[in-house]
Amino acid sequence: MVTIETKQHPAWDVYKATCPTRQVLDCIADKWAVLVIGLLNGGTRRFGEMRKSIEGVSQKMLTQTLRSLERDGIVSRRVYASVPPKVEYTLTPLGQSLAGIVESLRVWSESNIEVVLASQQTYDARPEAE
Amino acid sequence: MVTIETKQHPAWDVYKATCPTRQVLDCIADKWAVLVIGLLNGGTRRFGEMRKSIEGVSQKMLTQTLRSLERDGIVSRRVYASVPPKVEYTLTPLGQSLAGIVESLRVWSESNIEVVLASQQTYDARPEAE
DNA sequence: TTATATAGGTACCCAATGGTGACCATTGAG
DNA sequence: CTCAATGGTCACCATTGGGTACCTATATAA
């Protein structure tokens, strides 16, 4: 039996410290990124819209998150040369392929929050908890 | 037509700043948490094992991540009163329900890294990039 | 003419986070 | 007697995250 290795990717392994996948995971396994991608999964959004929708994001963090996602090819940014400025963000096809996963993360959180909250209470009530 | 609202959860919405789901997302949408959950999906692991498997985690961060996941009921911790100590970590059923999602995040990273790297190169090569 | 709101971005500053290394407890082995 | 082993904590420091104030340019209102 012959193992056919048709241009197998060079054994990417996110558990290796220097693997570039680690950086990508770092970027998408992020609170704000998850919320941003989830939002954009509903369609193109303007910056200000997103700022309002995602309660608690500062302008800076939103910008930063979007830049990072843009760099990774997950969202695309479209600037209209108007005054005041108008900037639209959209998921790229790559981003769309990620959106489902990220959305299921969000859904999991919303579905299992009761269990989690109960567990937290039990944990915090342990005698050795301060 | 009657809308039957059989104890519908009180409209959890992770986009609200104060929604408890936000904290949960904060905890699981985390680089180290994803790696930890992925590892434990392969079965029970000892602390030292995980420390070696996940390159680059400091002892402190691993402890912290595991505590946080334990508090949320995602992993369980078992201490053996031996010398030297032996501590095992396992995914709870709740954790197992999350593992699939988290694993697909990791798989996505490893599958799409080439596209992402290419996108990063294009982005960094823009004239306006410093 | 001047003031103001707009919408997105950035420079600067501070607080929180994460990493490092020392230290601890306990016991069997050398 | 000393050291290795294992998981954990603590104090310290560098790095980062995150907030605030400011900037831009124009259309509109006063």
Side-chain angles (χ1 to χ4, degrees):
Chain A
M1 186 220 179
V2 179
T3 301
I4 303 176
E5 189 161 333
T6 19
K7 178 64 174 145
Q8 195 69 296
H9 47 66
W12 299 117
D13 181 0
V14 84
Y15 287 95
K16 299 289 174 196
T18 58
C19 185
T21 53
R22 184 68 77 83
Q23 300 165 27
V24 177
L25 190 67
D26 211 11
C27 166
I28 62 180
D30 170 77
K31 177 180 48 172
W32 298 129
V34 167
L35 294 173
V36 163
I37 293 171
L39 241 197
L40 291 182
N41 200 28
T44 298
R45 293 280 185 280
R46 293 188 59 178
F47 184 89
E49 258 182 289
M50 306 184 70
R51 183 146 164 54
K52 279 182 222 98
S53 298
I54 305 174
E55 291 189 359
V57 222
S58 66
Q59 190 163 14
K60 179 184 159 187
M61 280 316 295
L62 184 53
T63 301
Q64 205 168 293
T65 302
L66 286 166
R67 284 289 177 287
S68 163
L69 292 174
E70 188 195 359
R71 190 172 104 99
D72 286 355
I74 291 166
V75 312
S76 68
R77 176 172 183 265
R78 172 147 199 185
V79 184
Y80 294 86
S82 57
V83 169
K86 174 178 172 180
V87 183
E88 284 182 350
Y89 292 91
T90 313
L91 281 186
T92 63
L94 182 67
Q96 287 170 25
S97 76
L98 176 60
I101 300 172
V102 161
E103 277 294 84
S104 59
L105 250 191
R106 183 182 59 74
V107 170
W108 187 94
S109 298
E110 293 180 354
S111 305
N112 293 97
I113 182 65
E114 264 103 358
V115 187
V116 169
L117 287 177
S119 172
Q120 290 182 354
Q121 293 215 336
T122 306
Y123 185 94
D124 294 341
R126 292 166 320 159
E128 64 272 27
E130 75 291 9
Chain B
M1 186 225 182
V2 180
T3 300
I4 304 176
E5 189 160 336
T6 18
K7 179 65 174 145
Q8 195 69 298
H9 47 67
W12 300 117
D13 181 0
V14 83
Y15 287 94
K16 299 289 175 197
T18 57
C19 184
T21 54
R22 185 67 77 84
Q23 301 165 27
V24 178
L25 190 68
D26 213 10
C27 166
I28 62 179
D30 169 77
K31 178 179 47 172
W32 298 131
V34 167
L35 293 173
V36 163
I37 293 171
L39 240 196
L40 291 182
N41 200 29
T44 297
R45 294 279 185 279
R46 294 187 59 178
F47 184 87
E49 257 182 291
M50 307 185 69
R51 182 145 165 53
K52 279 181 222 101
S53 297
I54 305 175
E55 291 190 358
V57 222
S58 65
Q59 189 164 18
K60 180 181 157 187
M61 280 316 295
L62 184 53
T63 301
Q64 204 168 295
T65 302
L66 285 166
R67 285 288 177 289
S68 163
L69 291 174
E70 188 194 358
R71 189 172 103 101
D72 286 355
I74 292 167
V75 312
S76 68
R77 176 171 184 266
R78 171 147 199 186
V79 184
Y80 295 85
S82 57
V83 169
K86 174 177 171 179
V87 183
E88 284 182 349
Y89 291 91
T90 314
L91 282 185
T92 63
L94 182 67
Q96 288 170 25
S97 76
L98 175 60
I101 300 172
V102 160
E103 276 294 83
S104 58
L105 250 192
R106 184 183 59 73
V107 170
W108 188 94
S109 297
E110 293 180 353
S111 305
N112 293 97
I113 182 65
E114 264 103 358
V115 188
V116 169
L117 287 177
S119 172
Q120 290 182 355
Q121 292 214 337
T122 305
Y123 185 93
D124 293 342
R126 291 165 324 158
E128 63 273 26
E130 75 294 6

